[in-house]
Each structure stands twice: as C-alpha cells, then as structure tokens.
Amino acid sequence: MRAQIVAWLLVALTSFSVSAEDEGEAKQAPAQPKSYAEQSIYDKPLMERYVMDEIRNLRTDFQALEKRMVVEITDRELDVADKSLNYANVTVTYFFYLIAGAASLIALVGWQSLRDIKNNTKELADQQLSEIAEQYERKFQALERDLKRKTRIIAENNKEIERINEIHNLWLRAQHSQTPEQRMEIYNEILKIRPGDLEALTHKADAAMEMGEYHWALSISNRVLEVDDKNANALFQRACAYARLGAEEQAISDLEVAVAESASLREAAREEADFESLHGNERFDVLIDPESNP
C-alpha cells in the first residue's frame, strides 16, 4: 500500500513538472493552436484542483502511515522490553531458588560438621591464647622479679653511697679534731654506721693510746687481729700497748710482724714515743735500724 502511494506521488509530481515545463515552453514559443484533447487536459482548472487534493490526501495518508508505524514500532519495543524483564525476573527467581535449595541442603547435611568445626576451632584458639597468655605471664613475672631485685640493689647502693659519704665526712672531721676524745667519738659514730670497720677500730685503738687507756687499746687491737691476724696497723697499736704495759718481748714480736707486713712502719716505730722504753733492746734496735747490726 505504501509503495503504491509513493508511486502515485511520483506520478503526480512528474505530471506537475511536465505541466510546468510545457507552460514555460508555451510562454517562450509562439502560440500554436492546440487540439481539443490537449485543451481538455491542461486548460481546465478543475484538473489542478484535483491534483492538489490528491497530493494533500497523499500527504495526509503518509502522515497517518508514519504515525501507525511509530506506534507499532513502539509497541513492539515495549513488548520486547517486557519479555526481557520477564525473562530476567524468572532467571533471578530460579537462581535464588537454586541458592535456597543448596543452602537448605548444606543446612540439612553439613550443619553438624560445621558446628563441630566451629567448636574445634574455638577450642583450639582458646588453647593457643591460654598458652600465649601463660608464656607472657611467666615472662612478666620474671621481669618483675628481676626489676624488684635491681630496684633493691639500686636502693642498697644508694644507701651504701650515703653511708660512704657520711663516713668520709666523719674521717675528715676526725683529721681536724684536736683531742683524742673528739676523735674517739667520731670513730664510734663510724662504727655505728659500719660495725666492725677494721680501720676505724685501729684508729680507735690509737686514740685510746693517746688517752692513756692502754688496756683498752690492747683490747681493741685484739678485736681487729681476731678478724685479720696480719693487720699491720693493729699489730703496731698492740705493740705500743704492750710497750706501755711493760711487755717488751711481746711488743717487739708484734712490731716485727707489723714491719714485715708494712716496711713503712719501721720509720714510724723509730719515732714513736710509746717505744721509748724499748730503746737499748738489741732486737728493737736491729728492727728499727737494720744497718746497725754488726
């Protein structure tokens, strides 16, 4: 139908073009007499009106045809889209049915296994965590003990440093003291801080000798020698005490051992006032001056 309409439209346009060309030629060429048939076709106004109406009808029909085609194409596209949507909906529905079936199968068949796996995994994790926690707890306890021990050592060292500083200050005071009684008090303070200090006891014995307390000096020297029988200063102080008490041989014997342990005491013995009673004794003279021995 559409092809026929197009053919009619072409014929009509051809007729119009031919008519236009004939009219142009008629204007250019001199007028020639027309036959009755030609006049009946081209010179009648009704024919033009007819042709114009036909063209208008063709145009109207063509527009209606185009409208129907657009509607039909749109309907077909909507139909295709509807079918595609329906197909997708069905596919997704079947897919979810398949997943639900598989999940149901797993739930029915493997629930017990999954629960066992979960429980075993939880137990294993708890066991590993417990072991790790115990290991770190033991390490922390060891670190805590070590830290406490080091803290105690540091505290003891600090106390020892304080004692050393205090004792050092007391020794300085003792060096600047004028009387043996003052030095005796300082030595007693040192012994309170550090009981059994052999050096403090030896100097205490020397202070006792200066105070004329020979028996006391002897007793103090014996206390030192009970701990260290080769202590040269204690032997020297005991020799002084023996000399003052009249035990010359014992004094010389202690002095010999003291000089043998510390040669510097030979010069001290030569100038010591406590040994005045020993001068003239051959053993003593040889001891303080070996070159005088014939």
Side-chain angles (χ1 to χ4, degrees):
M1 181 63 181
R2 183 179 181 184
Q4 293 177 359
I5 293 171
V6 173
W8 291 346
L9 180 60
L10 292 175
V11 171
L13 293 174
T14 304
S15 299
F16 273 112
S17 63
V18 172
S19 299
E21 290 177 359
D22 291 341
E23 289 178 358
E25 292 175 357
K27 291 179 181 180
Q28 296 175 0
Q32 296 180 359
K34 295 182 181 179
S35 63
Y36 177 78
E38 291 175 348
Q39 292 177 357
S40 63
I41 296 172
Y42 298 105
D43 296 339
K44 294 180 180 180
L46 294 176
M47 180 59 69
E48 294 179 0
R49 179 66 180 177
Y50 174 76
V51 171
M52 293 296 293
D53 291 340
E54 287 297 327
I55 291 173
R56 184 181 63 187
N57 293 333
L58 287 173
R59 185 168 56 191
T60 304
D61 293 339
F62 183 75
Q63 290 179 351
L65 177 61
E66 184 179 4
K67 182 178 180 180
R68 288 195 302 271
M69 290 181 66
V70 170
V71 172
E72 185 176 355
I73 291 171
T74 303
D75 292 339
R76 289 185 179 181
E77 289 179 353
L78 291 174
D79 186 46
V80 171
D82 184 62
K83 289 181 179 179
S84 300
L85 183 60
N86 188 24
Y87 176 76
N89 187 17
V90 172
T91 303
V92 172
T93 303
Y94 287 161
F95 180 73
F96 279 111
Y97 285 162
L98 180 61
I99 293 176
S104 300
L105 183 61
I106 293 173
L108 292 174
V109 176
W111 174 254
Q112 188 66 29
S113 299
L114 292 175
R115 187 174 62 183
D116 293 340
I117 292 173
K118 179 181 177 181
N119 293 333
N120 293 334
T121 304
K122 186 176 181 300
E123 291 177 358
L124 181 61
D126 292 339
Q127 183 179 359
Q128 292 293 331
L129 289 173
S130 299
E131 293 178 357
I132 294 173
E134 290 177 358
Q135 291 177 1
Y136 277 100
E137 186 177 0
R138 288 194 295 269
K139 290 181 180 179
F140 286 144
Q141 290 177 353
L143 289 174
E144 185 178 4
R145 289 193 299 268
D146 188 56
L147 182 61
K148 289 181 178 179
R149 181 178 60 82
K150 291 182 178 180
T151 303
R152 185 174 60 256
I153 292 173
I154 291 172
E156 292 176 356
N157 291 335
N158 290 332
K159 291 181 180 179
E160 183 64 21
I161 291 171
E162 292 177 358
R163 287 194 295 267
I164 290 173
N165 290 331
E166 187 175 359
I167 291 171
H168 179 70
N169 293 330
L170 290 173
W171 281 115
L172 293 176
R173 284 176 53 195
Q175 290 178 1
H176 294 87
S177 297
Q178 299 298 324
T179 63
E181 289 80 5
Q182 293 175 347
R183 291 196 296 273
M184 182 68 72
E185 292 179 359
I186 295 172
Y187 298 146
N188 289 331
E189 291 180 8
I190 294 174
L191 291 171
K192 288 179 181 179
I193 298 172
R194 184 174 292 174
D197 190 312
L198 299 182
E199 186 176 2
L201 288 172
T202 303
H203 283 79
K204 185 177 179 180
D206 182 64
M209 289 294 300
E210 293 183 21
M211 294 169 60
E213 300 289 342
Y214 306 128
H215 291 283
W216 190 14
L218 181 62
S219 176
I220 295 172
S221 299
N222 287 331
R223 286 177 57 189
V224 176
L225 293 172
E226 287 177 357
V227 178
D228 181 11
D229 59 351
K230 299 296 183 180
N231 191 301
N233 292 325
L235 289 169
F236 187 86
Q237 294 299 329
R238 191 170 70 172
C240 292
Y242 279 139
R244 286 292 186 179
L245 294 173
E248 296 182 357
E249 295 300 326
Q250 293 178 347
I252 295 173
S253 298
D254 285 345
L255 186 59
E256 288 175 346
V257 177
V259 171
E261 294 293 331
S262 177
S264 61
L265 293 177
R266 189 189 306 275
E267 184 67 23
R270 187 180 299 118
E271 298 176 357
E272 179 60 51
D274 292 332
F275 294 144
E276 290 181 359
S277 61
L278 299 180
H279 287 282
N281 188 303
E282 184 178 356
R283 290 179 58 195
F284 179 77
D285 293 339
V286 172
L287 181 61
I288 61 175
D289 190 10
E291 295 179 357
S292 65
N293 186 19

